[in-house]
Amino acid sequence: MRILVFANTPAHVHLYRHAVDRLERAGHDVLVLTREYACTTDLLEYFELPYRVYGDHRTEGYSKLGFAREVGGQFLTIGIDALRFDPDVVFGRGPYAAYAGTLSRTPIVLVLDDEPGDFNHTVSRPFADCILSPQVTRRDLGDAHYTFDGFKECAYLHPDIFEPTTDVRTYLDVDADEPYVLVRFNALDALHDADLEGFRPDQRRDLIERLSEVATVFVSDEGDELDLRALPARPYDLHPALIHDAMAEAELLVADTGTMATEAALLGTPAFRYRGTDDHEYGEFRELERAGLVEQFDTYETVRDRSLEVLADDDIAEQWEQRRREYVGDLVNLTDLLVDVAESRGTVERLDRSTKQVLRPRSRTI
């Protein structure tokens, strides 16, 4: 079989990397189409995935005509690559995957979450043969929409899959008993982040200064806007492939971004998400809050004060780990599901009985 996969962001690389590896080891041909965005190609190189770049993610500096030409060029490249590869099934999300599958007359599998990406859902839904999303997703995307108990991050952080690197503290240059915190600042440059605001610059500085009084602070600044030279913090500068190992060892993650908060929660690390101006209600976070693995905050002062409170509590780490053991182990191993769906060419009816049992037709469950 020939499987075409779209990985347009670092999160997409993690979503598919174990499935791609297993499919290749099973003798299938896999091609990942990607764009230059953040550390996406760095991760593809690190995990030795077979990929081609069709363009980059850049909106600044373009006129409307220039942007249209850039997007048109990307569609042209995608079309050529898709026709040359001649896939049996296409995995992805949004218009690129829908276009590649339609042009090559190939079944299309969309793997979605509950982000408010209505544009992506709207343009790709009519072309999909199979849509997979977490059960906590609240929208119904039609007869081809199936849900599973878990999160898209279960493709790489499920306990059956995730194997932490034991040397991450050495790489970070922190002692075995040295508490450290990961702080993640979102660049807010994705389509679904339009008009959103997270931590302000003054809040970023204050948060770092307060947290540094009780723990070593590592900062992952997606927008690369913060000058840490005058602040009591260290940049998180390990290879991006090691971020989950660093999260697993951290005392706390504080972020104004969604994916890393979900990831930390599934690893059993206290995960605090500052909403900023984002008032959208996400099904994933609502479920993780119910499980006691994520906390969300509407004001800066509350997330700062709660962070300091948690860092002063010696029992917090064991409490979160216990919640993880009780909750995450019962979730679906999404990599298993992705492999089975790929080998069935995106046709749910072809899945074996045990795999079908983990899927629920969305239209019958809301």
Side-chain angles (χ1 to χ4, degrees):
M1 282 184 60
R2 302 171 71 82
I3 299 106
L4 181 63
V5 175
F6 281 84
N8 292 328
T9 70
H12 297 164
V13 177
H14 289 300
L15 170 62
Y16 292 112
R17 62 185 175 90
H18 291 289
V20 169
D21 180 61
R22 283 179 49 182
L23 288 166
E24 285 196 308
R25 285 191 281 112
H28 303 296
D29 292 328
V30 184
L31 174 63
V32 178
L33 288 183
T34 189
R35 60 186 177 183
E36 295 285 358
Y37 174 64
C39 61
T40 303
T41 53
D42 292 333
L43 289 172
L44 289 165
E45 290 282 352
Y46 184 92
F47 295 119
E48 299 181 342
L49 302 185
Y51 75 93
R52 293 179 195 159
V53 176
Y54 65 78
D56 62 17
H57 174 75
R58 182 164 64 92
T59 56
E60 295 181 0
Y62 278 124
S63 65
K64 289 183 179 179
L65 179 59
F67 180 70
R69 286 175 176 167
E70 174 66 20
V71 172
Q74 292 182 10
F75 272 100
L76 177 62
T77 301
I78 288 169
I80 292 171
D81 283 338
L83 290 174
R84 284 178 177 170
F85 186 64
D86 189 24
D88 294 295
V89 63
V90 175
F91 280 81
R93 59 178 297 144
Y96 292 138
Y99 168 69
T102 302
L103 184 65
S104 61
R105 298 182 179 180
T106 306
I108 301 165
V109 179
L110 305 180
V111 184
L112 308 176
D113 55 14
D114 203 28
E115 71 175 28
D118 295 324
F119 172 76
N120 282 327
H121 299 335
T122 299
V123 299
S124 57
R125 169 185 169 182
F127 305 95
D129 296 272
C130 178
I131 301 174
L132 303 176
S133 76
Q135 174 62 27
V136 295
T137 302
R138 292 160 302 159
R139 53 175 61 87
D140 177 7
L141 299 176
D143 293 340
H145 186 188
Y146 295 84
T147 65
F148 57 90
D149 285 331
F151 307 84
K152 61 180 175 45
E153 292 80 6
C154 288
Y156 52 99
L157 296 180
H158 191 278
D160 292 345
I161 293 177
F162 179 68
E163 297 180 2
T165 298
T166 56
D167 295 333
V168 71
R169 282 186 172 269
T170 301
Y171 300 149
L172 289 170
D173 192 22
V174 293
D175 295 335
D177 58 351
E178 181 178 349
Y180 69 85
V181 177
L182 282 176
V183 178
R184 171 68 164 181
F185 297 132
N186 199 340
L188 296 172
D189 61 351
L191 179 65
H192 56 267
D193 293 326
D195 301 322
L196 295 183
E197 178 182 313
F199 289 109
R200 299 195 312 264
D202 61 311
Q203 293 171 341
R204 294 182 178 196
R205 291 190 294 270
D206 181 63
L207 179 66
I208 290 169
E209 289 172 352
R210 295 294 298 275
L211 293 177
S212 69
E213 295 173 2
V214 291
T216 299
V217 178
F218 289 95
V219 175
S220 173
D221 182 12
E222 186 179 31
D224 197 25
E225 299 173 347
L226 188 63
D227 185 356
L228 294 177
R229 290 174 295 182
L231 291 170
R234 294 158 59 181
Y236 175 81
D237 56 5
L238 299 187
H239 192 284
L242 299 175
I243 186 62
H244 304 117
D245 305 285
M247 266 195 270
E249 281 285 306
E251 299 292 314
L252 172 68
L253 171 86
V254 184
D256 55 7
T257 181
T259 297
M260 284 184 65
T262 302
E263 291 170 336
L266 295 178
L267 289 167
T269 297
F272 292 172
R273 175 178 177 260
Y274 174 52
R275 296 176 190 264
T277 59
D278 186 1
D279 59 0
H280 181 79
E281 288 294 331
Y282 299 85
E284 287 93 337
F285 290 127
R286 182 173 56 187
E287 173 65 11
L288 289 168
E289 280 187 302
R290 184 194 66 77
L293 293 169
V294 161
E295 295 181 17
Q296 298 190 89
F297 303 86
D298 294 321
T299 67
Y300 165 68
E301 290 75 17
T302 53
V303 67
R304 178 197 63 197
D305 294 348
R306 176 61 175 149
S307 298
L308 295 171
E309 177 186 346
V310 162
L311 290 173
D313 188 337
D314 294 335
D315 297 327
I316 285 293
E318 178 54 36
Q319 291 176 19
W320 246 265
E321 180 56 32
Q322 168 113 11
R323 294 170 189 170
R324 174 182 182 261
R325 287 194 299 267
E326 293 174 351
Y327 179 73
V328 181
D330 291 333
L331 301 180
V332 168
N333 180 332
L334 183 55
T335 287
D336 287 346
L337 179 58
L338 293 176
V339 169
D340 289 347
V341 171
E343 293 184 329
S344 74
R345 290 178 166 81
T347 304
V348 172
E349 288 73 20
R350 293 179 179 173
L351 294 171
D352 63 38
R353 187 172 183 179
S354 61
T355 304
K356 285 182 181 178
Q357 288 177 343
V358 307
L359 291 176
R360 302 174 187 173
R362 183 58 174 166
S363 59
R364 301 178 201 170
T365 58
I366 63 172

